[in-house]
Amino acid sequence: MAKKVRVRFAPSPTGGLHLGGVRTVLYNYLFARQQGGDFVLRIEDTDQSRYVPGAEEYIYECLKWCGLQPDESPQAGGPYAPYRQSERKDLYRQYAEFLVQEGKAYYAFDRPDELDSMRERFKTAENPSPQYDHKVRMQMRNSCSLTFEETERLLADNVPHVIRIRMPENETVTFTDMIRGEVSFHTELVDDKVLLKADGMPTYHLAVVVDDYLMKITHAFRGEEWLPSSPVHVLLWKYLGWEKDMPQWAHLPLILKPDGNGKLSKRDGDRLGFPVFAMNWTVPGTNELTKGFREIGFLPEAFINMLAMLGWNDGTDQELFTLDELVQKFSMDRVHKGGAKFDFEKAKWFNHEWIKKSEVGRLKPEVRKTLEQQGISVNDDVKLETVIALVKERCTFIADFVEQARFFFQTPQQWDLDAIKPKWNEAKQAFFGDVINYLQQQTNWVAADLEHGFKELAAAKQIKPGEVLLPLRIMLVGGKFGPGVFDIAGIIGKEETVKRVSNLLGQL
RNA sequence: GCCGCGUUCGUCUAAGGGCUAGGACACCACCCUUUCACGGUGGUGAUACGGGUUCGAAUCCCGUACGCGGUACCA
């Protein structure tokens, strides 16, 4: 029987959740759901100096908003708890010690300043960043260069030390990446990575292997930036004796900045005027706020859809997918190898499409909330629904409903008079006087009838409808936008329509 | 520097030996609309370069260039 699929998203809680992070979550989630597997959230907080309060809660909130909730997590618990690496601290040391006994790792007592001076000493034009590897190993203070007795004494004296992997000098590590196929590395070019830090915490390298093993992870997806350290991980799986349980790796392509090249960063978003984080993120302490997709009015459906298409497609021309469709159709072998530049214009298009295709009921709570935040009170539920249905196709963001729907609920306070004043005359003034009379006589307030009557009246006065339609719009709406004027009149009602017309007529 | 990974319209991408290299975003034009959108039609626009293999190459192989990633007691 095949092993049950288990995947994990393993962020370190140091700040806002980046687009690329959400995409990694998404691919994990899609794969797990499709395979009937489990999706685990594991918090990789092994660097205590980078602890940021609130960052972990923020991640849960993001996943919740996106609808990508984990089956197991620090919050939800699960059979492999705890899911926070800081709470698993005591677990890791034994594995590192085991590797030392096996001769696959060693103690290193070098102080930070000694490491610096080593790097300084070996630095040349051809080798600008010397590594701690087999070439310098014997010149450093570690259990390879020191005698057994010396090492024992240092350990007994509690001299701060780390445990480093001892990279072999002449091997080739090869594995099959689900996206890239076979990749290989020469071990003599990889450094002796620290496995266990002086504070007793594991580094990512040790923790990811131990926890993936203990948590029975079958497929490990992560960003491409991890590819260069993958030989360390593969070797660790082997040295720990777990080779047959090693997950299948998939290194996802990066999301790049729209201009120039390089990984998309928060800075690029600030610079170019779009969000990079899923939700608003406030840096504790400085209170510096970074805008999120949620807050600028993205629908999670659109956000997810857009992210899914950044590096994957189903081979057809289809671009709009629901989460369920993605679960069905997603496949790792259709994931791109190359990085994708993020295009905010295209992201906006996805959101616009989703607003258009969403049911009124889906939009209603969010639209109501946004309108009310702007001081527009919405008491008539049916009217709100009618309005949403009428204007949603002209909204790219939820916030656009403010402009597009405001005049249905509030009398305009400002009018684009420049649009009508230059061509205004006595005849039009008189005509609108007649319009008011006409409107007041109506007992059956229906848009189509109003339009018909209005045009007949204009014809009777020898006025072309085009001459007076725009003025009417300005009177009702305030500006040159919105749905058909008579639809608007139909919705706001007789009293309000008459009021708006006569109100502005007095100002012309 | 070294190692690894990449490279099709400006952007996201399709086409995994046979095509006038397809779609979408953006842009432009026209139509619809006597507003703004939506919608419709059309247009500009790409296989990084050089060698092979082949009857035939965007597709396979080898170089070159360029880009990115990594080279931390960060993840």
Side-chain angles (χ1 to χ4, degrees):
Chain A
M1 194 184 93
K3 278 191 291 184
K4 184 175 194 190
V5 166
R6 288 177 56 81
V7 299
R8 102 272 117 136
F9 175 58
S12 79
T14 52
L17 186 59
H18 186 276
L19 271 181
V22 180
R23 194 191 54 179
T24 305
V25 175
L26 179 61
Y27 286 8
N28 267 293
Y29 179 92
L30 296 177
F31 187 78
R33 285 291 162 273
Q34 182 180 73
Q35 306 288 320
D38 300 322
F39 171 45
V40 177
L41 173 68
R42 185 173 69 220
I43 298 294
E44 310 231 334
D45 53 351
T46 54
D47 188 351
Q48 294 170 324
S49 68
R50 295 215 298 168
Y51 171 76
V52 176
E56 189 183 314
E57 291 68 25
Y58 172 92
I59 290 170
Y60 297 134
E61 192 59 29
C62 285
L63 299 193
K64 191 174 159 197
W65 177 63
C66 293
L68 306 173
Q69 275 163 299
D71 302 303
E72 298 166 28
S73 70
Q75 268 198 338
Y80 301 92
Y83 292 92
R84 235 181 317 253
Q85 290 182 331
S86 58
E87 293 171 10
R88 303 168 66 81
K89 180 177 177 183
D90 296 339
L91 253 158
Y92 305 105
R93 172 148 226 130
Q94 56 180 304
Y95 297 104
E97 300 279 2
F98 170 78
L99 290 169
V100 174
Q101 284 161 31
E102 294 286 303
K104 303 301 188 189
Y106 57 88
Y107 300 106
F109 302 92
D110 316 275
R111 280 176 276 108
D113 62 288
E114 292 174 311
L115 292 174
D116 288 345
S117 75
M118 178 276 281
R119 295 204 171 95
E120 209 44 52
R121 213 158 11 112
F122 292 99
K123 193 169 168 182
T124 61
E126 297 78 46
N127 186 13
S129 35
Q131 307 191 114
Y132 197 124
D133 59 15
H134 64 94
K135 289 197 281 276
V136 304
R137 194 148 63 207
M138 294 310 284
Q139 299 175 54
M140 304 300 288
R141 284 206 303 148
N142 55 50
S143 58
C144 301
S145 61
L146 303 171
T147 64
F148 178 76
E149 289 72 23
E150 284 171 322
T151 302
E152 287 298 302
R153 189 173 50 75
L154 290 171
L155 288 176
D157 289 350
N158 282 321
V159 173
H161 62 275
V162 303
I163 292 179
R164 287 179 180 272
I165 187 172
R166 181 191 201 124
M167 287 304 284
E169 280 176 43
N170 201 16
E171 285 181 25
T172 300
V173 174
T174 301
F175 67 94
T176 303
D177 185 279
M178 295 174 80
I179 296 171
R180 285 149 220 285
E182 198 167 276
V183 285
S184 42
F185 298 83
H186 300 291
T187 54
E188 68 269 25
L189 298 164
V190 182
D191 62 335
D192 290 352
K193 289 252 182 292
V194 170
L195 266 20
L196 198 74
K197 304 190 249 189
D199 64 3
M201 277 288 194
T203 59
Y204 172 83
H205 307 293
L206 212 217
V208 74
V209 172
V210 169
D211 286 340
D212 281 353
Y213 171 73
L214 262 17
M215 295 181 181
K216 297 193 160 43
I217 299 304
T218 58
H219 300 262
F221 308 153
R222 64 203 336 185
E224 193 186 351
E225 68 267 30
W226 289 107
L227 204 45
S229 53
S230 59
V232 177
H233 310 318
V234 171
L235 244 28
L236 248 18
W237 276 92
K238 188 174 156 192
Y239 292 163
L240 259 2
W242 304 331
E243 201 172 7
K244 65 172 180 32
D245 293 316
M246 186 171 78
Q248 279 193 260
W249 299 101
H251 291 90
L252 273 25
L254 267 15
I255 295 178
L256 279 10
K257 55 185 74 186
D259 57 340
N261 290 298
K263 266 202 287 190
L264 178 67
S265 73
K266 184 186 86 64
R267 283 238 165 286
D268 300 311
D270 297 344
R271 184 170 55 87
L272 272 9
F274 58 78
V276 167
F277 292 156
M279 308 186 316
N280 274 6
W281 168 250
T282 307
V283 181
T286 69
N287 282 332
E288 184 199 338
L289 173 78
T290 304
K291 285 257 183 195
F293 279 89
R294 182 177 74 171
E295 285 77 6
I296 69 160
F298 263 75
L299 257 23
E301 296 93 323
F303 184 54
I304 288 311
N305 191 164
M306 177 270 292
L307 252 18
M309 302 309 287
L310 225 47
W312 174 87
N313 70 83
D314 76 339
T316 73
D317 286 341
Q318 186 176 348
E319 294 193 271
L320 265 17
F321 294 88
T322 63
L323 224 207
D324 286 343
E325 283 177 302
L326 289 171
V327 166
Q328 247 177 60
K329 296 182 174 172
F330 183 75
S331 67
M332 208 37 99
D333 43 67
R334 289 201 64 90
V335 174
H336 253 255
K337 294 183 177 75
K341 289 187 182 178
F342 178 66
D343 181 2
F344 189 53
E345 291 305 319
K346 186 79 184 234
K348 276 157 65 176
W349 176 79
F350 275 106
N351 206 49
H352 191 186
E353 291 300 312
W354 269 96
I355 287 180
K356 282 192 290 178
K357 74 180 271 191
S358 291
E359 307 263 332
V360 170
R362 159 71 184 88
L363 266 11
K364 196 165 66 166
E366 328 234 351
V367 172
R368 178 196 299 278
K369 191 173 140 217
T370 305
L371 291 179
E372 284 172 352
Q373 276 169 356
Q374 293 299 314
I376 303 166
S377 62
V378 181
N379 32 40
D380 186 338
D381 219 51
V382 176
K383 179 177 171 187
L384 177 61
E385 289 173 8
T386 310
V387 169
I388 292 174
L390 200 58
V391 306
K392 64 177 184 173
E393 69 198 25
R394 44 196 91 208
C395 297
T396 298
F397 298 115
I398 293 293
D400 293 338
F401 279 96
V402 173
E403 183 184 47
Q404 294 296 335
R406 159 172 263 141
F407 54 84
F408 285 104
F409 302 96
Q410 291 181 340
T411 304
Q413 298 302 308
Q414 289 181 343
W415 299 267
D416 184 0
L417 294 177
D418 292 343
I420 48 176
K421 258 192 171 160
K423 289 185 178 173
W424 197 251
N425 56 33
E426 295 289 323
K428 288 182 185 174
Q429 184 84 21
F431 170 74
F432 275 100
D434 294 339
V435 167
I436 291 172
N437 284 333
Y438 164 74
L439 294 175
Q440 277 170 334
Q441 287 163 23
Q442 297 312 302
T443 49
N444 195 19
W445 196 259
V446 175
D449 296 348
L450 295 175
E451 176 167 6
H452 187 69
F454 182 90
K455 287 183 175 170
E456 270 189 346
L457 195 57
K461 300 287 170 187
Q462 316 265 298
I463 294 178
K464 279 186 280 186
E467 302 272 312
V468 284
L469 241 20
L470 187 62
L472 179 62
R473 169 174 298 279
I474 302 293
M475 290 168 182
L476 299 188
V477 175
K480 289 192 284 186
F481 59 91
V485 237
F486 297 101
D487 288 330
I488 295 169
I491 291 171
I492 63 178
K494 179 170 161 181
E495 191 189 341
E496 180 67 19
T497 303
V498 170
K499 182 180 136 197
R500 291 188 191 184
V501 173
S502 32
N503 182 7
L504 200 66
L505 208 51
Q507 297 185 40
L508 283 160

